[in-house]
Amino acid sequence: MQLDISHSGADTLVAVHTTRLDASFAPQFKADMMEIVNAGARRIVLDMSAVKLIDSSGLGTLVSILKALNGQGSIVIRGASPTVLGLFKLTRMDRVFTIEPAAATA
């Protein structure tokens, strides 16, 4: 899988290491993310800085994961590229997900 998972306090940090979150990657991504949710993660921070393209399958997967949290958690999108951010704004998903710039490095 192309995910790195770590923890920081109550946050589950998930770095996505693929340039495309599309129909070819979405099913495996969803399965892996559901494992994270089922393990008890409630605040998931997705580092999407490597993702350059997201399609409706990828966006639908993110919505499915958010629904799986049953209102008891949240997903933060961190480091989205201008193209990915544009899709979130176009679909108004920037109102559903918390969007953050890339994490600052020390």
Side-chain angles (χ1 to χ4, degrees):
M1 185 73 243
Q2 298 175 337
L3 301 177
D4 282 333
I5 302 162
S6 61
H7 300 277
S8 176
D11 293 350
T12 299
L13 310 173
V14 180
V16 182
H17 296 291
T18 185
T19 58
R20 300 172 62 94
L21 185 48
D22 58 13
S24 64
F25 183 67
Q28 185 62 51
F29 177 71
K30 182 177 180 180
D32 292 343
M33 290 301 297
M34 292 308 290
E35 286 183 26
I36 293 167
V37 170
N38 292 336
R42 291 297 168 250
R43 187 177 189 301
I44 300 170
V45 179
L46 283 175
D47 179 349
M48 304 263 299
S49 56
V51 179
K52 303 303 176 205
L53 180 131
I54 186 170
D55 70 1
S56 60
S57 299
L59 196 56
T61 297
L62 292 174
V63 172
S64 294
I65 297 162
L66 186 61
K67 283 184 177 183
L69 290 169
N70 284 326
Q72 299 175 0
S74 62
I75 296 176
V76 176
I77 305 298
R78 182 176 287 166
S81 71
T83 303
V84 171
L85 187 56
L87 178 67
F88 275 85
K89 289 181 178 181
L90 179 68
T91 59
R92 296 185 180 214
M93 287 292 116
D94 60 329
R95 297 178 184 191
V96 175
F97 297 97
T98 302
I99 309 290
E100 293 181 353
T105 56

